Amino acid sequence: KTGTIDIPLPSSALRGRPEASAVRGDLDAIVRKATHADPVRRYASADEMEADLKRYLDGRPVLAQPDTLGYRLRKLHERAPWALPIIGAAIILVAGYVYTLTNYNEQLRIEQRRAAASQEFLVSVLSSPDPFHPADPDAGQDITVLEALDFGIDRLEQGLSGDPELRASILSSIARVYSSLDQHDKAIRLSEQALAIERQAAGIPSEAVRASLEMLASEYTDINDFEKAARY
């Protein structure tokens, strides 16, 4: 045969016998390597060939075969059928842990970014009466809480478009402040905006959606619009 000394392989010699399938593969590969026409591609010594035969008898990967992951896994399965399911389960557990950790870190970054954005918004509202840089030059430092909130809403309309959940959260918070100041129309308007964002972001009923529904039911009750309150 091309590249080998012309001798039959074990599987060929045993053709038609049950033993042929047992020697086909590794033992054939050992014979091919041992009888290769190119001396460089043969075993370096009889001891090396003996060691490869021992590996074959022990069910371990032999040097005569290409050292691939698939081949090593197949030999491992032949030696220990229980090993691959355990390895597979371990890989799934590790992958799940890595995914959970990555997801947790990403969620942590999102929360940190939201906290910073909330703080920036709060500072902008509280700094509205700044006598040197007032939000309303006409009102100056005499700006009222309601006016400060109104300016805050104007700024909110211009920002946080990239984080709808944070936007909805701030809208809900300001709506509660308006409600406490008996500004129910403004509280309803902001709560409805927050509810629309929360429903779109969550896709399913969520705690934020439930809170907004309760807020709207309460606000409509306060203004004696019981029909709309019952709807919410």
Side-chain angles (χ1 to χ4, degrees):
K1 297 179 181 180
T2 304
T4 62
I5 299 173
D6 192 15
I7 65 170
L9 295 175
S11 60
S12 299
L14 295 172
R15 183 177 293 117
R17 296 173 59 181
E19 296 89 345
S21 59
V23 301
R24 186 180 295 112
D26 285 352
L27 195 58
D28 281 354
I30 289 173
V31 172
R32 283 196 191 95
K33 184 174 180 66
T35 59
H36 203 284
D38 184 357
V40 176
R41 299 183 62 179
R42 297 177 198 164
Y43 289 104
S45 65
D47 289 340
E48 187 178 76
M49 179 178 175
E50 180 186 12
D52 225 13
L53 285 169
K54 285 182 178 178
R55 280 189 283 270
Y56 165 72
L57 293 174
D58 291 339
R60 294 183 289 119
V62 299
L63 298 179
Q65 290 279 36
D67 188 17
T68 63
L69 177 60
Y71 172 65
R72 285 186 170 273
L73 289 176
R74 179 167 61 82
K75 296 303 292 184
L76 175 62
H77 180 66
E78 290 173 359
R79 290 199 315 275
W82 47 265
L84 285 184
I86 292 178
I87 292 174
I91 290 174
I92 292 173
L93 286 173
V94 171
Y97 173 75
V98 171
Y99 172 79
T100 301
L101 187 62
T102 302
N103 197 39
Y104 171 78
N105 288 335
E106 179 61 23
Q107 190 61 36
L108 184 62
R109 284 193 291 271
I110 291 173
E111 294 302 328
Q112 289 173 337
R113 188 172 66 247
R114 287 177 175 173
S118 299
Q119 182 181 26
E120 182 181 352
F121 174 79
L122 180 61
V123 169
S124 70
V125 172
L126 294 178
S127 62
S128 298
D130 184 347
F132 300 105
H133 303 286
D136 184 353
D138 295 329
Q141 60 182 333
D142 296 325
I143 187 172
T144 66
V145 173
L146 280 175
E147 289 171 336
L149 286 173
D150 290 340
F151 280 114
I153 291 298
D154 290 339
R155 290 177 180 174
L156 187 61
E157 295 291 341
Q158 301 167 10
L160 299 180
S161 57
D163 195 337
E165 292 184 28
L166 175 58
R167 181 184 174 86
S169 177
I170 293 178
L171 285 171
S172 295
S173 298
I174 297 176
R176 288 182 174 83
V177 177
Y178 275 133
S179 177
S180 68
L181 297 173
D182 291 328
Q183 300 293 312
H184 298 294
D185 289 341
K186 291 181 179 180
I188 288 172
R189 180 172 60 84
L190 296 188
S191 293
E192 287 178 338
Q193 289 179 23
L195 178 61
I197 295 172
E198 288 156 357
R199 278 178 164 162
Q200 185 174 7
I204 57 173
S206 66
E207 180 63 24
V209 169
R210 185 194 63 77
S212 290
L213 290 171
E214 286 186 355
M215 177 71 178
L216 285 163
S218 175
E219 288 304 299
Y220 277 114
T221 300
D222 287 341
I223 62 174
N224 298 320
D225 191 338
F226 301 110
E227 184 178 348
K228 287 186 178 179
R231 218 185 308 157
Y232 286 107

